[in-house]
């Protein structure tokens, strides 16, 4: 027989609904405008760690068909709104990532993303902590967030004194000392080794006694964040962890169109090296950056993972009515 029932409890759906209401109340009280942007785009994520779902539109304006991609984040379209004159904005939307499924991942999930003009990463970290405490407050009690730099996190949990200058040999030794065997294909890719140690050694120990906010990532992992000159140069980026799980990823946003184009092209070159599909760059975002994006900070938060915390779920499928295996 076909199992048509939802994967979650009705009580969990009610908790989720209350958290959505609390989220909208939080931003309404702060005069942050809720917006909606398209799920489909001509452009796709160039990030080597992300794969976009692709589909083909056939209809008026596309007699031979037009490839469109389901977004992996509403970021690019929201930045176009900021460049057009919108002030603080937020969005709750479905987001799609190919190949991501497991206890913490579903290929379709709910993301909360918001942008604050004239905020830097520190100011936005304050608001992220306030939001999480506000929305989870009626469900669980959280201690104040601990804040530590990426270098401090690696020193404490991986015993690497200065991760910004550590070479691949040092990172490889750290992995070997902890009996991490999944190192095939990493070669001399320093960022790949850093990601491995972050996921296997550092991250599981973060947020075990209250939320952890980790900031000042290596400049090579800036993604869409500004880089602050050092030494060492660091990306003005932060992530929020609770119980070893990443909840949010935030940036003091890059506003330089030329630098953003360079990063996109670097991503595409890296994708080619790894044998991954080439994808089109978002030219509309680049045009918006050229027109002028105001100084701002933005953050993306996995809403389903927040619900997991509220109800004590062990799998993301427990807080969705119909995860991918029942969709």
């Amino acid at each position: 027989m076909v199992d048509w029932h939802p994967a979650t409890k009705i009580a969990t759906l009610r908790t989720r609904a209350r958290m959505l209401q609390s989220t909208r109340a939080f931003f309404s009280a702060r005069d942050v405008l809720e917006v909606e942007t398209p799920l489909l785009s001509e452009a796709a994520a160039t990030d080597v760690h992300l794969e976009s779902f692709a589909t083909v539109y056939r209809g008026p304006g596309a007699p031979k068909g037009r490839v469109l991609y389901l977004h992996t984040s509403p970021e690019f379209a929201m930045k176009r709104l900021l460049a057009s004159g919108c002030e603080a904005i937020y969005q709750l939307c479905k987001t799609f990532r190919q190949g991501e499924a497991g206890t913490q991942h579903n290929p379709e999930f709910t993301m909360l993303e918001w942008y604050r003009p004239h905020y830097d990463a520190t100011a936005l970290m304050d608001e992220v902590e306030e939001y999480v405490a506000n929305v989870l407050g009626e469900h669980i009690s959280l201690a104040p967030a601990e804040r530590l730099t990426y270098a401090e996190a690696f020193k404490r949990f991986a015993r690497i004194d200065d991760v910004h200058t550590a070479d691949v040999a040092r990172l490889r030794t750290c992995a070997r000392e902890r009996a991490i065997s999944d190192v095939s294909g990493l070669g001399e890719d320093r960022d790949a080794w850093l990601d491995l140690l972050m996921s296997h050694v550092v991250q599981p120990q973060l947020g075990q006694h209250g939320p952890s906010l980790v900031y000042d990532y290596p400049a090579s992992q800036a993604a869409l964040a500004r880089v602050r000159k050092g030494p060492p140069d660091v990306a003005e980026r932060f992530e929020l962890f609770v119980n070893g799980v990443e909840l949010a990823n935030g940036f003091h946003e890059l506003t330089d169109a030329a630098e953003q184009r360079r990063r996109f092209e670097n991503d595409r070159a890296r994708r080619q090296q790894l044998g991954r599909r080439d994808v089109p760059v978002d030219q509309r975002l680049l045009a918006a950056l050229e027109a002028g994006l105001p100084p701002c900070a933005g953050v993306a938060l996995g809403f389903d993972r927040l619900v997991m915390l509220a109800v004590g779920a062990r799998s993301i499928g427990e807080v969705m009515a119909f995860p991918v295996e029942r969709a």
Side-chain angles (χ1 to χ4, degrees), residues 259-275:
E259 172 62 14
Q260 184 62 77
R261 184 181 297 276
R262 186 189 69 79
R263 293 188 192 180
F264 280 156
E265 294 306 327
N266 285 346
D267 282 349
R268 293 179 69 196
R270 182 64 178 143
R271 291 179 73 87
Q272 184 176 23
Q273 290 174 359
L274 296 172

Side-chain angles (χ1 to χ4, degrees), residues 37-71:
T37 56
L39 302 182
L40 289 168
S41 171
E42 288 183 341
T46 62
D47 189 318
V48 296
H49 301 294
L50 298 177
E51 289 295 334
S52 304
F53 283 94
T55 188
V56 178
Y57 163 69
R58 295 182 176 87
K64 297 182 179 180
R66 176 184 170 202
V67 177
L68 296 173
Y69 299 88
L70 286 167
H71 73 186

Side-chain angles (χ1 to χ4, degrees), residues 59-122:
K64 297 182 179 180
R66 176 184 170 202
V67 177
L68 296 173
Y69 299 88
L70 286 167
H71 73 186
T72 58
S73 160
E75 177 172 2
F76 294 173
M78 292 181 76
K79 286 181 174 177
R80 288 163 59 189
L81 290 177
L82 292 170
S84 298
C86 281
E87 295 294 331
I89 55 176
Y90 81 98
Q91 183 167 186
L92 278 160
C93 65
K94 289 296 184 181
T95 306
F96 307 86
R97 296 183 180 180
Q98 179 68 276
E100 296 193 5
T103 58
Q104 305 293 334
H105 298 87
N106 195 68
E108 175 185 355
F109 61 100
T110 300
M111 180 177 284
L112 167 64
E113 190 149 337
W114 77 93
Y115 291 86
R116 281 288 201 170
H118 309 298
Y119 273 38
D120 61 10
T122 301

Side-chain angles (χ1 to χ4, degrees), residues 158-160 169-180 197 201:
R159 297 184 181 178
I160 295 177
R170 176 69 185 94
L171 303 179
R172 186 184 289 114
T173 297
C174 180
R176 186 170 57 248
E177 289 171 347
R178 286 157 180 79
I180 300 172
L197 294 177
V201 179

Side-chain angles (χ1 to χ4, degrees), residues 130-167:
E130 186 179 0
Y131 164 77
V132 170
N134 182 286
V135 173
L136 286 180
E138 66 176 278
H139 307 287
I140 61 173
S141 178
L142 287 178
E146 175 188 37
R147 300 190 185 192
L148 65 166
T149 67
Y150 185 92
E152 288 168 344
F154 267 78
K155 184 174 183 178
R156 182 186 304 178
F157 300 119
R159 297 184 181 178
I160 295 177
D161 288 337
D162 190 350
V163 73
H164 292 291
T165 60
D167 58 17

